Structure formats: C-alpha cells, structure tokens
Amino acid sequence: YTSSQSGITYESTNAAGCVHTETLNLTITESTAHTTVAEACDTYTWAAPLGNGQTYTASVSGITYESTNAAGCVHTETLNLTITESTAHTTVAEACDTYTWAAPLGNGQTYTASVSGITYESTNAVGCVHTETLNLTITESTAHTTIAEACDTYTWAAPLGNGQTYTASVSGITYESLNAAGCVHTETLNLTINETPDITNPGDQTACDSFTLPTILGTNLTGNEAYYDDSQLKGGQLILGPITTTQIVWIYDSTLLNNDGGKSELSSLGKPVNFCSDEESFMVTINNSTTSTEDITACDSYTWNEVAYTESGVYTFESENEVGCINTATLNLTINYSTTSTEDITACDSYTWNEATYTESGVYTFESENEVGCINTATLNLTINNSTTSTEDITACDSYTWNEVTYTESGVYTFESENEVGCINTATLNLTINNSTTSTEDITACDSYTWNEVVYIESGVYTFESENEVGCINTATLNLTINNGVTEFTDIICDDLFDINGDPVQSIDLNNYLSIAANDEGEWVSLDTSGRLITGSTFNVIDLENGIYNFTYTSSLGCVSNLSLEKDCIVFPCSTADDISKVVTANNDGVNDTFRVGSLAGDDGGCKYIVKIFNRWGKIVFESNDYKNNWGGYHNNSGLTMGTNNKLPTGTYYYIVNVIVPDGELLQPITGYIYLGTN
C-alpha cells in the first residue's frame, strides 16, 4: 500500500482450524523536503531543527540536512546560501576652520578641531554594514593687526598688505590673503600718519652772563620740541636751564614711529632710528659781568667812590666793564673804635695784671691796643684777700676719717679748702693711729663653760670685746666645744623595739642616745638589777616589760650623763599599739631618725596628726597640720635664725600632738618632751 486504507480484510485459518479474519486500517504518512534560500552578511549559522547548526562564511548551494518531521518521517532540508560582505573605508580630510562630515557615509556633524579615528556605520549596496573612519586635519584661518606710524605717507606692502599708499591716518582697513596652511589670512591696518615738524630758527644771540632760551616756534610741532647742546646725530644732551657759556644751541623735534610694535630700535648714540624730525642750530655768545672785592679796615671813617662811610658794612658800586656788561665792586669795610674796659678782681695774696704783680688792694689802669687795633684803656678795681692755715692733733684706733678720707696709718696730712674770704685754708692733721687687737682660745668642757662672767651650755664660737693697753678694742674669740651626755629624761621606747620593717629587735645600742660631742668611748652603767645591760652599750630588750630602766654614762672626758628608758606604749584610738618618739638622732642610721607619732607601719586608720614642736624658750621651731612622721631635727619657722641650713642644735624640745579621728573629732592633746641629738 502507498496510501492509507481502512476496512481491508483477509481471512486465514487459526490454530483451531477455524477462519481468522484480519482487518487492516492503514495510515500512510509521507516524507517531506524543503529548500532554504538565505542571504547573510559575513556569516550565517544554519540553525536546528531544520539546519545542521553549522556557521558558513561563504556562499553555498545544495547543502542538505535530514531530520524527522512532525509525522515521524524524514524531512530533507536543502540550503542555498548567499554570503555578502560588510565594507569599511577611511576618509582623510583637510579643511580650514570647520568640516562637516556629510551623509551617507559621514555622521553629518561639524568639526572645528582635528580628530582621528572617528567612525560611523551605514548600510552598503548589498545591505551589510559599512564602517567609515574619519581622520581630519583642521587648519585655522589667521588674522593680524599691523599698527604703523609713518612720516607723511605709508605704503601697505604685499603680501599681507594691499599695496596702497596712504597719506592720512586710517584704522580698521582689512586685506585677505592665503596663509601657509592655505587658509584665509586677514590683515588689519591701524595707521598713524605723523607730519614732520618744521622749526623756526631764532638766529644768533648775544647776552650778558646768561641767556634764557625763548619759546620754540614752528609748524607741526609735537610738543616735545626742546633745546640740546649738540646735534641729535651726535648724541646731544637736553638743555634744562639758561645758557651761561658761549656755545651752539640745537633745536630738535621729532615724532617717534612705533611701526615695529612699540619697540623702536635705538642707534649707537642712544637715539631712535625711526622718527620724523627737524633740527636747527644757532650761536649764543655769552659776555660776562665782572666783580672786584676790597677788604678795608679803618678807624672811625673811610671814603670810597666819593662816599664817606662811618660804620662797618658791605658796600657795592656798579659800572660798565670793557665788554659792555656790569662790573660790581664790593667793599668789605670794618670801622673800628677805641674802647675802655673795667675789671673788678678779688685775689688771694697777690694778683698779676699786664705783667705787673700787685699785693695791695687799689684801682689801676693800663693802655693797650684793642682787638681791632685801636686804643683800649683798661681799669682794674683790685681787692687782695689773704690765705689761712690750721693744725689738728688726733689719736684714733685703727682708722680715722678726715675730710671724707679714711686714714689707717699715723702721719702728717694736709687738706686745702676755701676760707671765709674765698682764699685757700691749709689744714694740717698730726695723726696717731693705734691698732685694735685680737685673741683666740680653744676650750672643750663638759655641759657648760663660764667665760667673762657668761655661762655657755652649747658649743659655738663666742666673742668678747674689751679695751687693750693702747685704749683700742681687743676682740677675744672663744672656740667652745661642750660635750654633753644624755639629758635626763624618760624615753618611751616603743618605737625603738621595732626595726624599720616593724619587726621586733633583740637589743638597743645606748650609744644612739649620745650626742656626737659626747663620743662613744665612755662607759655605761646600769642603775637597776634587771641585768639587761650586756657588754658595752648593748641593752637587751627581748620580752621587755613595761617599766623604767636607768643608766649612767661617763665619757672619756669625765662628763657624766643620766639616761632613763621607759617602756610605756601609747595606743592611739585609730592605730595599732605604737607610741610617740622620745628621742630623735638624725644620723641616717635607720634608728630614731625621725619623730614618730602613731603606727610604725603607717596603718593609722584615717587619723590626722597636727604637730607643734617648741624649743626651751617656748618658740615654735616646727609645725605641721598633716604630720607624716618626717621631722628630723630641722626648723620650718622663717622667723628663726638658729642653727645652720635650718638644722636645730642638740637639746630637749617640747611637743604638742593633736589627733583628729576620721569622724572629725579632735581628741585631747598629747604633750611631752623629745630629746634631739644632731651633733
């Protein structure tokens, strides 16, 4: 069958030997075919499902590809392909000022500057893209203005000018030509025509002494016309004032041409090369007036040119000289007169006047020539006064001041002064100088020393003045060393029982209570039976009970001191059970170096201490409103002058300690004595 059928039957025998009737209903589907005729630019891809998916860059014909159609049969597609190509071109253009890139190949835009690589796409004759590239060179038209000045006429020369000749000034005249790039060049002419000056020569001139130059006359003068001392071609200089010597005078006027743009070239003489000018010259002859001077000195009067003069002065007389100018004669006249003078003189002892010596008062006269050559009669009214003398005998100690001069040696001295009549008084001093004396004594004593009825209890340098055998002062100096033991007092030794770290100590060195002056070469003796005094100065304080322990110390100089140590600790309300120091030995050995109040460990629970320390005379030597256990034997009272470097002397001092607890309550003051060893 080649076409569809329906109801076709066929009989046969089945397995049972019976008739089997088979009916055929047949559908016949046909294969298909088609031809694709295509055109493309540059490339073409034959797309599925009908095409083979390949890309073609050249024309082809009769290419087939089989696929399955909708009925499931073979579909044969035939490709007839025409490939056409895109095109490209470069336009290389040159233009003046502007360029319009015209369609259809250009974009229609107008350019005023050079460009390169500008592209524009359009459709070519075969319907593909055509790419046009523009490489453009814009050359510009040019313009320039010629600013020119000329004398009388000017020809505007080619190639930039029009070749015409002008006799009058013009402005804004233009002429077009082609420049080097082939574009239009427009030249503008601004022209100034200057008229050449014409100077009128005044002719030769003659004058006396000086000649004032007249106003310059002429036509077409510029206003810059002037007189010169030479031709401008020779570099003549400007004449600014009258002519005073015979010379040729030049008149010059010019109009400077700036046709080189305002930069006129200068000649070797310094004058402009480009100018419109006129120059004239004439002779000026100067004849001189004359003068004469005569100096005359006369007595009383003098006659000159038939005139009598009786007074000094400067007189003149004019006449005509040989060249017809004025001669001026000058007379410097001095008229001198006889003179008199009177002199009142007071002199001492004598007076010499005009080589004569006078010793008595009187009136004297003397004639001489005065300073102007005439007679001078001098009168002297003379008074003679006499000089005086005096003598003084003086005895003094060490020095004597006499008439503001101090003398330290015996001798005879004189001093001159004015007496009551204005003459010299000579005073004589017969002076005897006696000298003061000194003596020095070095003394070492125990506790005190009596010297010149004064008892001294402290080491120091003391002086005593008395009268020596010549009636002057004798100054005796005592260098006194007082060796002290320990001042008798009871020291509460709670602080001494602990080291600087707050740990208990085994023993106390009693020598720490000695002053330096007492030295430590003596002997300590215990006055009780505690048996705690070990070898030398060592005091055993292990498990020491409260109580008083007494000692005596005898120094190597025989000075005896008593020491009482008391263990009686004070417990402050806001600190651990510590005490107030009873002795301070500020020698930096770590023991008793400062006056301690409260806890050794500084654990005072917020207590504040106000401390005042007094000397034996009740003077405050130290005070602090917030004491920090830092007093080491110095004073901070600016009104005190005792000690050196604010260091107080060894001795017993009195203290008052006020305690303020954290809630602000002020407790009952704590008072007592403190022994200070600083020597």
Side-chain angles (χ1 to χ4, degrees):
Y1 298 91
T2 59
S3 61
S4 298
Q5 300 290 327
S6 178
I8 299 298
T9 60
Y10 177 73
E11 292 183 350
S12 62
T13 300
N14 59 16
C18 292
V19 175
H20 171 78
T21 301
E22 184 74 20
T23 300
L24 173 65
N25 292 324
L26 172 65
T27 300
I28 295 294
T29 56
E30 296 180 349
S31 297
T32 57
H34 179 263
T35 298
T36 297
V37 179
E39 292 185 4
C41 293
D42 301 324
T43 64
Y44 177 78
T45 299
W46 196 12
L50 298 182
N52 57 15
Q54 292 185 18
T55 298
Y56 297 89
T57 59
S59 297
V60 295
S61 179
I63 301 298
T64 61
Y65 177 72
E66 291 184 351
S67 59
T68 301
N69 61 17
C73 295
V74 173
H75 174 81
T76 301
E77 187 76 16
T78 301
L79 174 62
N80 294 325
L81 172 64
T82 301
I83 294 292
T84 57
E85 294 182 349
S86 297
T87 55
H89 179 261
T90 297
T91 297
V92 178
E94 292 185 5
C96 292
D97 302 325
T98 64
Y99 176 79
T100 300
W101 196 13
L105 299 182
N107 55 16
Q109 293 185 19
T110 298
Y111 296 89
T112 59
S114 298
V115 294
S116 177
I118 302 296
T119 59
Y120 178 73
E121 292 183 352
S122 59
T123 302
N124 59 17
V126 296
C128 292
V129 173
H130 174 79
T131 301
E132 188 75 15
T133 299
L134 174 63
N135 293 329
L136 172 64
T137 300
I138 294 290
T139 54
E140 295 181 351
S141 299
T142 53
H144 178 262
T145 298
T146 297
I147 299 174
E149 275 188 85
C151 297
D152 304 324
T153 65
Y154 177 77
T155 299
W156 196 14
L160 299 181
N162 56 17
Q164 294 184 20
T165 298
Y166 296 89
T167 59
S169 298
V170 294
S171 178
I173 302 298
T174 60
Y175 178 73
E176 291 185 351
S177 59
L178 293 179
N179 60 19
C183 294
V184 174
H185 173 79
T186 302
E187 187 74 15
T188 300
L189 174 64
N190 293 330
L191 172 64
T192 300
I193 295 294
N194 294 309
E195 295 180 332
T196 301
D198 183 14
I199 299 170
T200 301
N201 194 317
D204 295 339
Q205 304 290 326
T206 299
C208 285
D209 299 323
S210 67
F211 176 71
T212 300
L213 296 169
T215 301
I216 299 172
L217 301 177
T219 58
N220 300 328
L221 299 182
T222 66
N224 296 319
E225 61 274 8
Y227 290 99
Y228 295 87
D229 62 3
D230 204 345
S231 172
Q232 287 300 285
L233 296 177
K234 297 181 180 180
Q237 301 298 310
L238 190 68
I239 298 175
L240 299 177
I243 303 299
T244 58
T245 60
T246 298
Q247 67 181 87
I248 297 175
V249 176
W250 299 76
I251 309 173
Y252 180 80
D253 190 18
S254 68
T255 301
L256 181 66
L257 302 185
N258 290 321
N259 55 3
D260 58 354
K263 299 180 180 177
S264 295
E265 179 184 357
L266 299 181
S267 72
S268 61
L269 297 176
K271 300 299 180 183
V273 173
N274 300 317
F275 51 87
C276 307
S277 66
D278 184 25
E279 189 173 61
E280 299 287 339
S281 66
F282 63 96
M283 175 66 74
V284 176
T285 301
I286 299 297
N287 293 322
N288 294 320
S289 298
T290 55
T291 61
S292 63
T293 300
E294 190 175 6
D295 297 322
I296 295 293
T297 300
C299 288
D300 302 325
S301 68
Y302 181 73
T303 300
W304 184 59
N305 291 310
E306 300 179 358
V307 177
Y309 298 93
T310 59
E311 295 182 355
S312 298
V314 178
Y315 302 97
T316 59
F317 180 78
E318 292 185 352
S319 59
E320 185 177 288
N321 63 15
E322 63 276 7
V323 294
C325 293
I326 294 174
N327 175 70
T328 301
T330 300
L331 171 65
N332 296 323
L333 177 61
T334 302
I335 297 294
N336 294 324
Y337 304 96
S338 298
T339 56
T340 62
S341 63
T342 299
E343 192 174 5
D344 297 322
I345 294 293
T346 299
C348 293
D349 302 326
S350 66
Y351 184 71
T352 299
W353 186 56
N354 295 307
E355 300 181 358
T357 299
Y358 301 90
T359 59
E360 295 182 358
S361 300
V363 178
Y364 305 94
T365 59
F366 180 78
E367 288 188 353
S368 61
E369 185 178 282
N370 63 17
E371 65 275 5
V372 293
C374 295
I375 294 175
N376 175 69
T377 300
T379 299
L380 173 64
N381 296 321
L382 178 61
T383 301
I384 296 294
N385 293 322
N386 294 317
S387 299
T388 55
T389 62
S390 64
T391 301
E392 189 176 6
D393 297 323
I394 294 294
T395 298
C397 290
D398 300 323
S399 66
Y400 182 72
T401 300
W402 185 56
N403 293 308
E404 300 182 358
V405 177
T406 299
Y407 300 91
T408 59
E409 295 182 358
S410 299
V412 179
Y413 303 95
T414 58
F415 179 77
E416 290 186 352
S417 60
E418 187 179 282
N419 62 15
E420 64 275 5
V421 294
C423 293
I424 293 175
N425 176 71
T426 302
T428 300
L429 173 64
N430 296 321
L431 178 61
T432 300
I433 295 294
N434 293 323
N435 294 319
S436 298
T437 55
T438 61
S439 63
T440 301
E441 189 176 5
D442 297 322
I443 295 294
T444 300
C446 293
D447 299 325
S448 67
Y449 182 73
T450 300
W451 186 58
N452 292 309
E453 299 181 359
V454 177
V455 177
Y456 298 91
I457 61 173
E458 294 183 357
S459 298
V461 179
Y462 303 95
T463 58
F464 179 78
E465 291 185 351
S466 60
E467 186 178 288
N468 62 15
E469 64 275 6
V470 293
C472 294
I473 294 174
N474 176 69
T475 301
T477 299
L478 173 63
N479 295 323
L480 178 61
T481 302
I482 296 294
N483 290 320
N484 296 314
V486 180
T487 302
E488 293 189 21
F489 68 95
T490 298
D491 181 23
I492 297 177
I493 59 173
C494 282
D495 278 353
D496 299 346
L497 299 179
F498 300 90
D499 61 18
I500 59 175
N501 297 318
D503 297 324
V505 299
Q506 302 295 315
S507 61
I508 295 174
D509 187 355
L510 298 181
N511 284 340
N512 290 334
Y513 298 94
L514 296 177
S515 66
I516 294 175
N519 69 54
D520 57 1
E521 297 177 359
E523 180 182 4
W524 286 96
V525 176
S526 175
L527 300 181
D528 55 42
T529 59
S530 65
R532 287 182 172 271
L533 183 59
I534 312 176
T535 304
S537 60
T538 303
F539 178 47
N540 181 6
V541 294
I542 298 175
D543 298 327
L544 187 67
E545 297 180 356
N546 281 355
I548 298 174
Y549 301 86
N550 299 307
F551 306 89
T552 61
Y553 177 76
T554 303
S555 72
S556 59
L557 299 175
C559 299
V560 178
S561 301
N562 295 321
L563 171 64
S564 293
L565 299 180
E566 180 181 4
K567 181 183 179 185
D568 184 13
C569 298
I570 300 173
V571 178
F572 288 102
C574 50
S575 71
T576 59
D578 290 321
D579 66 335
I580 294 181
S581 298
K582 291 301 182 180
V583 64
V584 172
T585 54
N587 55 8
N588 295 320
D589 64 351
V591 179
N592 297 326
D593 284 330
T594 60
F595 178 60
R596 287 193 169 275
V597 178
S599 172
L600 283 171
D603 181 18
D604 290 326
C607 276
K608 180 179 180 181
Y609 302 109
I610 301 173
V611 174
K612 293 182 179 180
I613 299 176
F614 303 81
N615 64 12
R616 68 179 70 181
W617 296 284
K619 291 281 189 180
I620 294 178
V621 297
F622 175 84
E623 62 179 327
S624 173
N625 291 328
D626 188 10
Y627 185 65
K628 301 297 184 183
N629 288 342
N630 57 347
W631 182 69
Y634 61 90
H635 73 76
N636 61 4
N637 186 341
S638 61
L640 292 179
T641 59
M642 61 192 304
T644 58
N645 298 325
N646 294 349
K647 186 178 180 182
L648 295 168
T650 295
T652 301
Y653 294 83
Y654 182 77
Y655 64 81
I656 299 176
V657 177
N658 286 293
V659 182
I660 301 176
V661 296
D663 62 2
E665 179 185 358
L666 178 64
L667 303 183
Q668 186 71 22
I670 303 171
T671 62
Y673 291 92
I674 178 72
Y675 175 75
L676 173 65
T678 60
N679 291 334

